[in-house]
Amino acid sequence: MTTQTELFREISEQPAALARFLDAESANVARIAAQINRAGVKYVTIAARGTSDNAATYAKYVFASFNRLPVALATPSLYTVYQTPPRLDGSLVIGISQSGESPDIVAVLEEARKQGAPTLAITNFADSPLARAVDNVILQHAGEEKTIAATKTYTTQLCALALLSTALADDRARRAELDAVPDAIARTLSLSDAAEDVASRWAIATTMLVIGRGYNYATAFEIALKLKELAYVTAEPFSSADFLHGPIAVIQGGYPVLIIAPRGRVFDDLLDVARQLKSRGADLVVISDALDALALSRAPLALPVALPEWLSPLVAVVPGQLLAHHLTRTKGYDPDHPRGLTKVTKTL
Amino acid sequence: MTTQTELFREISEQPAALARFLDAESANVARIAAQINRAGVKYVTIAARGTSDNAATYAKYVFASFNRLPVALATPSLYTVYQTPPRLDGSLVIGISQSGESPDIVAVLEEARKQGAPTLAITNFADSPLARAVDNVILQHAGEEKTIAATKTYTTQLCALALLSTALADDRARRAELDAVPDAIARTLSLSDAAEDVASRWAIATTMLVIGRGYNYATAFEIALKLKELAYVTAEPFSSADFLHGPIAVIQGGYPVLIIAPRGRVFDDLLDVARQLKSRGADLVVISDALDALALSRAPLALPVALPEWLSPLVAVVPGQLLAHHLTRTKGYDPDHPRGLTKVTKTL
């Protein structure tokens, strides 16, 4: 199959986009971090939707683990439809939006600034309404994303949050680990053929489950979103912890389940869920750098580079992006023009 | 169809359980609220899983709108698996668990207490590990819930959060509104036959979407969970706001979609999504007290009592519970014994 879609090009551009981002923004982010540290915030509020909301989920783990900062996800309708915004004192408020145009996200940041909370935008557009509404901006430098499904703008958002965490903690060891990410993603793109095999295997599936936990809970949500918006599959994301509280009941023989299980603190937990699913006859595909997890999968997606767990979401999402792309082609749809979607969704 | 399952009995017990709860706990909750107000908290952290996590989602709206308190949902694995709990100063920390036995929820509350944050449990068991780990307990008084699917323990949790909100604000008007809930639920149980018609209509469906927003975002999640754990349907919940950011792409002719749209501030938004879905040929079922929304549904579930929007989740979930029950029976499964689930899930 020829893979010269715009979406495939954008997936492939991720190593260059991340290298460009790290090069362009490191000094700016260090400056912003110093300012935030002086403000002495007690917790972080993040306003985001869709793919950017998945980046916010990643932030919950990074900021808590390395900066001891709890993260609350803002509920934009409280600021717009209900017009009953909560008090934000003690909070740093971050808006994440590649376009910077979502009116409800802008409304949260405008209210935060009005209340005197420190505000920050992570966006791909320096001149966007979101960028204009905040004290500080981290620019994604992803280049224009022409297709509707966000790929390089997701990984640059993750990278921005990771970079901010290292700067807030002045953690040079983790900052150095971040420099390995562009090359790791470049090598992970070699999974394209293996992802195409999975796409053939799952071509007629209409429902899928995507399971992750910890840092890769966000990855499960993001891959499920790509599968929905591109391949029109009802793909539902779960934490392996929540999954055993009810949803496991839907699993029957042949049910397609994608498990994101790179090595790390939640690995044993995911391995246990994978084994339970296999014993129920689920059709497992495993994204991992660990042989015992990959061995449970009839169509393994073996990550060629093992990053530290906190950075694993930056590579683990890539085979999912490739799978969503190839599945879309396999089903005869157009990855560059998903039906009924627009690039910028103006929710109020 | 005979409806003498244990689950149907428990669904029907909700009016009595809520009346008992309000009677037994109002004074205790007023005392707890005064103590919390003296502590001067800046935000609320809630630890919960499964059905209780849906109650926590409801709390985000109630506490922000009426108490100006932002709510952060705790990430239990940060306390257990990763052992990197965030700092909780400035936060009230609430654990919600009907059994009070989930070790990861208990771990969050133990850490909060160790850090000196005010702690509160909402649980059905006074002698549970969760109740023993906290400063204050609100007891649900739901009576024993014998079946695995939570119904009366969900609505008593919602009621506990609603009552706490009125007590924190010393809001007697809203407190009086709460007294109308048991009777409103009793009258809503009359939708059982209409829900049975929907169950017949959707008997062969394997995937469904459930859409709500605002206060009833929680209702969408809770109904989807009941459909999954009882009827083994891949039912996915969405906010109408997020839905247009991608997931709407999966909708084709005949796709079953349940929309929760009681009157209120987000009603117009849901009506708009309902119309877009109808124009794509979705098979809509609408839970509402508004005729223009119900008219879009071929099988409407008309709420007989219009409660104020902030209390609407307590009635809007009931037809969803009934639908999940009847669909399970229609498909030949046992609502009292869902396969592969246990009542208490001990996640770490």
Side-chain angles (χ1 to χ4, degrees), chain A residues 113-191:
Chain A
R113 203 177 194 179
K114 206 172 84 183
Q115 291 190 26
T119 53
L120 171 64
I122 297 175
T123 178
N124 208 19
F125 288 90
D127 195 34
S128 60
L130 181 64
R132 287 195 298 269
V134 295
D135 303 331
N136 281 298
V137 177
I138 300 178
L139 268 182
Q140 297 182 227
H141 298 275
E144 188 193 356
E145 193 166 59
K146 290 179 189 158
T147 66
I148 283 172
T151 54
K152 61 181 181 171
T153 58
Y154 175 65
T155 44
T156 49
Q157 285 170 355
L158 294 188
C159 196
L161 292 159
L163 178 62
L164 178 59
S165 169
T166 66
L168 286 168
D170 194 16
D171 185 335
R172 286 165 201 200
R174 280 198 303 128
R175 177 62 189 80
E177 288 171 351
L178 205 43
D179 283 329
V181 171
D183 181 59
I185 295 184
R187 290 171 61 194
T188 306
L189 292 169
S190 68
L191 290 177

Side-chain angles (χ1 to χ4, degrees), chain B residues 47-76:
Chain B
R49 283 214 180 272
T51 288
S52 304
D53 198 36
N54 299 334
T57 297
Y58 171 69
K60 291 186 85 156
Y61 293 86
V62 178
F63 289 154
S65 288
F66 297 107
N67 311 97
R68 298 208 66 203
L69 285 169
V71 173
L73 302 183
T75 305

Side-chain angles (χ1 to χ4, degrees), chain A residues 257-272:
Chain A
V257 182
L258 182 65
I259 297 192
I260 301 134
R263 278 187 202 291
R265 298 294 285 267
V266 293
F267 177 74
D268 288 347
D269 183 61
L270 282 152
L271 199 62
D272 177 49

Side-chain angles (χ1 to χ4, degrees), chain A residues 44 46 53-65 67 69-71 73 94 96 158 161 215 218:
Chain A
V44 179
I46 302 184
D53 199 35
N54 298 335
T57 297
Y58 172 69
K60 290 187 87 155
Y61 293 86
V62 177
F63 289 154
S65 288
N67 311 98
L69 286 169
V71 173
L73 302 183
I94 304 179
I96 310 179
L158 294 188
L161 292 159
Y215 289 95

Side-chain angles (χ1 to χ4, degrees), chain A:
Chain A
M1 186 193 296
T2 166
T3 43
Q4 280 320 296
T5 62
E6 186 63 37
L7 180 62
F8 190 81
R9 262 191 297 273
E10 290 179 349
I11 291 171
S12 306
E13 273 170 35
Q14 292 179 103
L18 287 168
R20 191 164 58 227
F21 167 78
L22 287 169
D23 191 46
E25 287 292 314
S26 290
N28 181 43
V29 171
R31 181 191 62 78
I32 293 169
Q35 206 175 313
I36 292 168
N37 281 333
R38 280 194 300 274
V41 300
K42 291 194 186 299
Y43 73 105
V44 179
T45 302
I46 302 184
R49 282 211 182 275
T51 289
S52 304
D53 199 35
N54 298 335
T57 297
Y58 172 69
K60 290 187 87 155
Y61 293 86
V62 177
F63 289 154
S65 288
F66 298 108
N67 311 98
R68 299 207 66 202
L69 286 169
V71 173
L73 302 183
T75 305
S77 67
L78 292 167
Y79 297 75
T80 55
V81 186
Y82 290 105
Q83 300 189 296
T84 55
R87 279 190 308 267
L88 295 164
D89 51 302
S91 187
L92 161 69
V93 183
I94 304 179
I96 310 179
S97 167
Q98 81 86 21
S99 71
E101 288 190 36
S102 200
D104 57 347
I105 305 305
V106 175
V108 174
L109 274 292
E110 283 173 346
E111 171 67 23
R113 203 177 194 179
K114 206 172 84 183
Q115 291 190 26
T119 53
L120 171 64
I122 297 175
T123 178
N124 208 19
F125 288 90
D127 195 34
S128 60
L130 181 64
R132 287 195 298 269
V134 295
D135 303 331
N136 281 298
V137 177
I138 300 178
L139 268 182
Q140 297 182 227
H141 298 275
E144 188 193 356
E145 193 166 59
K146 290 179 189 158
T147 66
I148 283 172
T151 54
K152 61 181 181 171
T153 58
Y154 175 65
T155 44
T156 49
Q157 285 170 355
L158 294 188
C159 196
L161 292 159
L163 178 62
L164 178 59
S165 169
T166 66
L168 286 168
D170 194 16
D171 185 335
R172 286 165 201 200
R174 280 198 303 128
R175 177 62 189 80
E177 288 171 351
L178 205 43
D179 283 329
V181 171
D183 181 59
I185 295 184
R187 290 171 61 194
T188 306
L189 292 169
S190 68
L191 290 177
S192 184
D193 288 352
E196 203 162 332
D197 291 344
V198 178
S200 306
R201 183 180 187 85
W202 284 356
I204 59 158
T206 55
T207 63
M208 295 175 188
L209 295 180
V210 188
I211 300 178
R213 197 182 176 192
Y215 289 95
N216 284 292
Y217 189 43
T219 310
F221 272 75
E222 178 58 13
I223 293 176
L225 181 57
K226 292 306 100 160
L227 289 166
K228 273 184 284 221
E229 64 186 359
L230 289 166
Y232 315 135
V233 171
T234 303
E236 194 167 12
F238 280 105
S239 155
S240 52
D242 291 320
F243 190 65
L244 302 176
H245 277 245
I248 195 171
V250 305
I251 298 301
Q252 305 186 52
Y255 204 111
V257 182
L258 182 65
I259 297 192
I260 301 134
R263 278 187 202 291
R265 298 294 285 267
V266 293
F267 177 74
D268 288 347
D269 183 61
L270 282 152
L271 199 62
D272 177 49
V273 170
R275 286 186 179 129
Q276 288 195 42
L277 284 165
K278 199 175 165 73
S279 77
R280 282 170 180 249
D283 187 15
L284 290 191
V285 169
V286 178
I287 296 175
S288 181
D289 52 3
L291 289 180
D292 41 355
L294 293 164
L296 294 169
S297 179
R298 280 188 234 165
L301 294 167
L303 295 170
V305 185
L307 288 179
E309 183 179 8
W310 76 285
L311 292 176
S312 64
L314 283 138
V315 287
V317 73
V318 174
Q321 295 169 336
L322 291 166
L323 169 61
H325 173 271
H326 295 323
L327 187 61
T328 307
R329 297 286 300 268
T330 301
K331 292 173 78 169
Y333 301 127
D334 178 357
D336 294 344
H337 300 97
R339 62 181 181 228
L341 296 181
T342 50
K343 182 73 184 165
V344 179
T345 310
K346 301 209 167 177
T347 314
L348 261 176

